[in-house]
Amino acid sequence: MMPLTDQQLDALTLAEGAATLNHAIDPSVDVHQVKASLDRLADEAEHQLGAEPDMALRLDGLCRLFYHQWQFKGDIEQYFSSDNVFINKVLERKTGIPASLGAVFLYLCERLSLPVKPMAFPSQLVLRIDELEDAPVFINPFNGERVNERILRGWLKGSQGPLAELEASHLQSSDNPTIIGRWLTVAKSALLREEKYAMALRCSELALTFSPDDPYEIRDRGYIFQQLDCDRVAATDYEYFIEQCPDDPAAELLKMQVKALNEEQPTLH
């Protein structure tokens, strides 16, 4: 079951919502400890920058503090590691991906009264500031650098193909449930890649609390059940996908999987 409703997630900061999600996936994640670590960083940022009246200088100072003095950075070598989606690991390693680094950065922005908003751009999380200049300013939380619409257009084409066009909807700020939902998908993919199937299953079950009848999520859950040797349950999930998406290219392959799973004899213990 999802630990919080959409309304409750929106009442939290993105980092707090992510920590709650992480705890639901891995109960060993201590949400209170994460909050304490975030508050220590925020206290230091407030001590160094809180008296700066100019918003632009305050933002520039936070970028220097976060990315240079504290040395938070994007994980170039193991981008798809699950360590990059668990906020406690990100705080410990000072390494992450745009979503996790952006969540921490946004937590500090709120304490410094900086009007920075998260933007669920198709390729990654981007930070948007509306009150700094005449036009919106965009920051890549992976490295703290500013990006313009030309760069965003290139990211979009890289993500969705050469015919993709940048639209106003791509540049709107996003609510926490939207970003947390995408975070959950990234977490599941990372855990599957690392063959951590029990935690991947929790991701899938959480995703299904958002969309209980999503055939693609149910298909993915079937795959996880199969890896956990829960063949009968896996076959049931596959059958649901085949029924709901008969024209999907995967349906024919899954029919063979269902046949094989149903023919296997249950293991006796």
Side-chain angles (χ1 to χ4, degrees):
M1 183 176 292
M2 187 63 194
L4 293 174
T5 64
D6 286 1
Q7 292 77 14
Q8 288 170 319
L9 281 173
D10 264 333
L12 297 173
T13 65
L14 181 57
E16 290 169 327
T20 303
L21 173 75
N22 293 160
H23 175 76
I25 299 168
D26 179 1
S28 71
V29 175
D30 188 331
V31 176
H32 298 293
Q33 190 174 54
V34 169
K35 178 72 162 55
S37 297
L38 289 167
D39 283 338
R40 280 194 294 272
L41 293 175
D43 289 345
E44 178 61 23
E46 210 167 22
H47 175 72
Q48 293 200 35
L49 302 167
E52 174 54 65
D54 186 276
M55 185 170 65
L57 292 177
R58 202 155 69 245
L59 179 62
D60 288 344
L62 180 58
C63 285
R64 286 194 303 273
L65 182 64
F66 191 75
Y67 292 99
H68 299 286
Q69 185 172 328
W70 291 342
Q71 297 186 324
F72 278 89
K73 62 184 184 299
D75 194 338
I76 299 172
E77 295 179 358
Q78 293 183 305
Y79 187 93
F80 296 105
S81 167
S82 63
D83 282 350
N84 292 326
V85 296
F86 283 92
I87 201 83
N88 58 319
K89 294 289 187 182
V90 173
L91 290 166
E92 179 185 314
R93 299 164 62 242
K94 295 188 176 179
T95 305
I97 54 176
S100 53
L101 292 172
V104 177
F105 193 85
L106 283 163
Y107 191 89
L108 306 177
C109 287
E110 184 166 309
R111 282 285 292 271
L112 291 171
S113 300
L114 289 168
V116 182
K117 300 293 183 183
M119 190 174 87
F121 196 69
S123 60
Q124 65 160 76
L125 183 78
V126 176
L127 304 179
R128 173 177 173 143
I129 308 98
D130 286 313
E131 300 175 29
L132 202 59
E133 299 175 6
D134 293 336
V137 171
F138 304 107
I139 293 177
N140 177 7
F142 196 68
N143 53 22
E145 295 179 359
R146 291 193 183 190
V147 292
N148 54 32
E149 290 193 15
R150 179 183 62 80
I151 293 173
L152 292 174
R153 194 171 290 110
W155 287 358
L156 182 68
K157 290 181 184 296
S159 171
Q160 298 190 346
L163 300 180
E165 294 292 337
L166 189 65
E167 300 176 2
S169 60
H170 292 134
L171 305 179
Q172 298 303 309
S173 60
S174 305
D175 59 18
N176 284 353
T178 297
I179 297 169
I180 290 294
R182 283 177 51 168
W183 199 319
L184 185 58
T185 300
V186 173
K188 184 182 71 176
S189 297
L191 293 165
L192 282 173
R193 191 174 291 107
E194 296 164 10
E195 300 183 357
K196 297 176 179 177
Y197 296 119
M199 284 195 284
L201 179 60
R202 292 191 195 109
C203 289
S204 193
E205 296 286 8
L206 287 168
L208 284 166
T209 65
F210 288 124
S211 303
D213 303 318
D214 182 346
Y216 290 92
E217 191 60 54
I218 290 173
R219 178 201 60 186
D220 289 354
R221 185 180 65 179
Y223 171 78
I224 298 169
F225 276 133
Q226 188 177 358
Q227 306 314 304
L228 292 169
D229 295 325
C230 300
D231 292 347
R232 290 182 183 276
V233 189
T236 300
D237 278 354
Y238 288 157
E239 286 168 346
Y240 178 84
F241 176 81
I242 293 164
E243 179 184 328
Q244 297 297 315
C245 305
D247 298 326
D248 190 285
E252 288 303 316
L253 292 172
L254 288 178
K255 285 178 184 177
M256 291 186 285
Q257 282 285 334
V258 169
K259 186 173 184 294
L261 290 170
N262 285 334
E263 286 175 353
E264 289 179 7
Q265 295 297 316
T267 302
L268 299 177
H269 296 284

